[in-house]
Amino acid sequence: MEIINLDATPSLLSRYIRELRDISIQSDPLRFRRNLERIGEIMAYEISKRLEYKEEVVETPLAQSKVKEIKDKIVLATILRAGLPFHQGFLNYFDHAENAFVSAYRKYREKGDTFDVLVEYLASPDINGKTLIIVDPMLATGSSMELGYRALLNNGTPAKIHVASVIASQPAIEYVAKVFPQDITTVWSAAIDPEINAHSYIVPGLGDAGDLAFGVKL
């Protein structure tokens, strides 16, 4: 399994990551959502380099031209709710993709920081033999990503998998490497942070991406 940390090579992406992390900037939810979307666009472009292409011929006003077209049948899947702006960035580029949505969320127990991850909603096309791009901006423990993926398997088995996050923890990267198929999965992250805290938030991370994008939930 290949793990790709895009922050290892400084780029324009680094600016958007900085703004997402900065408490003096992230308090603007419109900008926060837009930065998630921008990172989705950049990551979609990077992933596009790993897809298969076919040659086609199109008519221009002057002559015929040979062009390349994506051969993969793409299903773009998102973990609700924080994943929606990130998803939109991918969809801006993979505008012919089919789409899937999974609600996987933490339900904390009465005392302490322990929680269960619950999946209560799935809307997905057939993913059998297709390229599955499953996106979630914060890959903290990897549990939500795994359960979302397993829920999607009810609708088929993908030929290739791309797991995409904005910020991932090193423990989550290691967990995903264990539970996803080694031979067909590539993991992408815009940044990888070293640890998670007792509340299972990424450190240094950026806080709760869903709350920052859409407001505090009960």
Side-chain angles (χ1 to χ4, degrees):
M1 181 182 296
E2 186 176 8
I3 311 295
I4 299 173
N5 179 10
L6 294 175
D7 195 44
T9 303
S11 69
L12 182 61
L13 189 72
S14 304
R15 177 181 181 181
Y16 302 143
I17 290 292
R18 180 185 71 81
E19 292 189 359
L20 285 176
R21 292 190 192 267
D22 190 333
I23 60 173
S24 66
I25 299 175
Q26 66 176 206
S27 58
D28 179 352
L30 177 60
R31 190 165 189 84
F32 189 86
R33 291 192 301 269
R34 180 63 184 123
N35 281 333
L36 287 178
E37 185 178 355
R38 285 166 163 167
I39 293 170
E41 291 171 342
I42 292 170
M43 199 168 287
Y45 174 74
E46 293 296 329
I47 290 175
S48 76
K49 299 175 185 178
R50 303 297 186 93
L51 303 179
E52 294 185 25
Y53 288 79
K54 58 186 178 181
E55 190 174 89
E56 294 186 351
V57 176
V58 298
E59 291 283 347
T60 81
L62 301 177
Q64 291 185 331
S65 176
K66 292 181 180 180
V67 297
K68 296 288 195 305
E69 178 60 89
I70 294 173
K71 187 177 180 181
D72 298 58
K73 295 181 179 179
I74 297 171
V75 175
L76 176 59
T78 296
I79 308 296
L80 300 175
R81 67 178 168 149
L84 290 173
F86 194 35
H87 177 102
Q88 185 60 53
F90 278 85
L91 192 58
N92 289 345
Y93 281 22
F94 295 128
D95 54 308
H96 290 89
E98 296 178 280
N99 294 266
F101 300 92
V102 183
S103 72
Y105 70 96
R106 297 178 180 183
K107 183 175 179 61
Y108 284 90
R109 297 166 190 168
E110 289 185 7
K111 294 182 179 180
D113 294 316
T114 58
F115 60 87
D116 298 309
V117 177
L118 303 181
V119 175
E120 292 188 346
Y121 175 81
L122 170 67
S124 171
D126 176 19
I127 66 171
N128 202 50
K130 298 176 182 177
T131 295
L132 176 65
I133 303 175
I134 181 167
V135 309
D136 191 3
M138 306 301 288
L139 192 63
T141 67
S143 297
S144 295
M145 185 66 76
E146 180 194 9
L147 289 179
Y149 165 64
R150 296 201 183 282
L152 289 164
L153 290 180
N154 290 317
N155 287 14
T157 303
K160 291 181 286 184
I161 304 168
H162 294 275
V163 174
S165 66
V166 175
I167 299 178
S169 75
Q170 186 59 42
I173 292 289
E174 294 169 3
Y175 183 78
V176 167
K178 291 178 182 177
V179 299
F180 275 72
Q182 291 280 330
D183 55 337
I184 62 170
T185 303
T186 303
V187 179
W188 301 77
S189 189
I192 299 176
D193 287 353
E195 60 185 355
I196 55 175
N197 63 16
H199 203 61
S200 295
Y201 280 109
I202 302 170
V203 180
L206 53 77
D208 189 305
D211 287 357
L212 290 166
F214 298 112
V216 178
K217 58 188 177 295
L218 292 177

